[in-house]
Amino acid sequence: MTALDEIDFGLLRALAEDASRSAGALGRKLGLSQPATWRRIKRLQEAGIIAGRRLDLDTEKLGFGVTVFLGVKLATKGRVSLEDFERAVSAIPEVQTVEHVLGMYDYRLRVTARDISDFERVLRRRVMTLPGVGSVDANVLLSEERRPGPLG
């Protein structure tokens, strides 16, 4: 495990806020030189603490106005492998995340659709036809507050 200091945590908070900032801009914010900031970023990447950088798209502006969280309970775990379900559900473009969870459901899916009728099409023609699907529970997202994560 890599020991992190306050500068590392400040760097991680700044990257979580805006990962597109240059090492020079981050360094100015933290009182470091550009090379020192870059070395810290590389060390955090090599340690696996920074696992990647992601693009945050505004799905509504792209025409996808509905987000639904699905709780999926598989019908029979013995007949269909988890890998088969995961591979099939991951091939559905509207499914944004697939989370294998413990509790009431086996999987939690985040699905985006253009509108409710488009979501119904995705649910009926794609999700409900997946191997092993037993029951599905849906929760429509009304609003979302983005949090920076555990670095808060």
Side-chain angles (χ1 to χ4, degrees):
M1 169 112 175
T2 303
L4 301 178
D5 61 19
E6 281 306 310
I7 294 174
D8 291 325
F9 281 111
L11 181 56
L12 291 170
R13 278 189 291 274
L15 285 169
E17 185 180 299
D18 182 0
S20 69
R21 290 185 191 165
S22 69
L26 290 165
R28 284 189 295 280
K29 179 178 173 94
L30 299 168
L32 296 173
S33 68
Q34 185 272 339
T37 304
W38 181 244
R39 282 192 299 274
R40 282 181 181 261
I41 291 170
K42 290 298 287 176
R43 182 175 51 83
L44 293 167
Q45 288 173 330
E46 289 167 0
I49 294 167
I50 297 176
R53 297 180 192 196
R54 289 170 180 75
L55 186 61
D56 187 19
L57 299 174
D58 186 327
T59 55
E60 198 167 328
K61 288 181 180 173
L62 291 170
F64 294 92
V66 174
T67 298
V68 181
F69 294 98
L70 295 180
V72 177
K73 184 81 173 161
L74 297 182
T76 53
K77 292 181 186 175
R79 290 193 191 150
V80 175
S81 75
L82 299 179
E83 292 80 17
D84 289 342
F85 174 81
E86 290 169 5
R87 188 172 22 264
V89 75
S90 295
I92 300 172
E94 293 86 355
V95 175
Q96 301 300 297
T97 60
V98 178
E99 300 168 338
H100 189 200
V101 296
L102 179 64
M104 186 181 298
Y105 304 105
D106 297 310
Y107 287 90
R108 183 173 176 263
L109 312 178
R110 182 182 181 122
V111 179
T112 58
R114 297 195 181 283
D115 51 34
I116 290 295
S117 63
D118 186 39
F119 167 72
E120 183 181 12
R121 177 192 59 78
V122 171
L123 180 64
R124 286 181 177 220
R125 294 186 186 162
R126 294 191 173 165
V127 175
M128 296 304 292
T129 62
L130 292 172
V133 170
S135 63
V136 176
D137 186 37
N139 292 286
V140 176
L141 177 68
L142 298 177
S143 65
E144 182 175 36
E145 180 181 335
R146 298 281 173 121
R147 303 290 303 162
L151 300 173

